[in-house]
Amino acid sequence: MKKLPVKKADIILAAFLCLAAFLLLLVGGIQGRHQDALWVRGYLDGKCVCEYPIDCDIKTTIRTPDQNGSNVLVIDQKKVYIASADCPGQDCVKMGIITKSGEELICLPHKLVIRIEGGDNAIDAISQ
Ligand SMILES: [Zn+2]
């Protein structure tokens, strides 16, 4: 006499473990793709003045000597925004949060551009 019910349970368990392992691999693969290095770079009058990896949580003040101004840049859990600035209009603060490669925060009065670079997007290659 064979003990069929036990064997069936073993097969189901093995199949379940295989599926679980497969799903773990799949999720791991997707997360790996998202971890392409992204950088947050600050440009003052076209010159790169600072850069930070997007996964560092910082709050820093970028000074713009020519305009005697300052912008407070925040990177918080891969969200990038300007928390405060002393420019007229506060457009850069109102621009809100950027998270993706190629997105920019621009402070026109201070000639300051905060841009997320790297990852899959190669935006620079397109511009002529
Ligand atoms: Zn501004």
Side-chain angles (χ1 to χ4, degrees):
M1 280 285 275
K2 288 174 183 174
K3 289 176 182 174
L4 269 176
V6 174
K7 260 199 164 170
K8 229 179 199 173
D10 280 350
I11 289 166
I12 289 166
L13 186 68
F16 176 76
L17 285 175
C18 279
L19 190 71
F22 176 72
L23 283 176
L24 273 176
L25 273 175
L26 199 70
V27 170
I30 290 166
Q31 280 179 345
R33 280 186 68 85
H34 276 267
Q35 277 166 0
D36 283 343
L38 287 180
W39 292 85
V40 179
R41 293 202 174 97
Y43 293 89
L44 200 56
D45 208 5
K47 273 189 294 188
C48 186
V49 290
C50 61
E51 68 172 19
Y52 306 95
I54 200 166
D55 48 8
C56 78
D57 291 346
I58 57 141
K59 182 174 187 179
T60 184
T61 302
I62 299 173
R63 303 206 176 275
T64 55
D66 289 354
Q67 288 76 31
N68 196 24
S70 63
N71 299 60
V72 177
L73 170 70
V74 175
I75 305 173
D76 178 26
Q77 311 217 326
K78 300 185 182 179
K79 296 187 196 72
V80 184
Y81 58 94
I82 291 173
S84 63
D86 56 4
C87 57
Q90 304 274 299
D91 285 340
C92 52
V93 179
K94 289 176 195 161
M95 288 179 92
I97 293 167
I98 58 172
T99 57
K100 295 192 197 80
S101 182
E103 290 186 318
E104 291 177 334
L105 295 166
I106 301 165
C107 182
L108 274 181
H110 291 171
K111 297 182 184 173
L112 177 71
V113 177
I114 306 295
R115 189 187 299 146
I116 300 177
E117 296 178 354
D120 290 329
N121 291 13
I123 291 253
D124 286 356
I126 304 164
S127 57
Q128 279 188 326

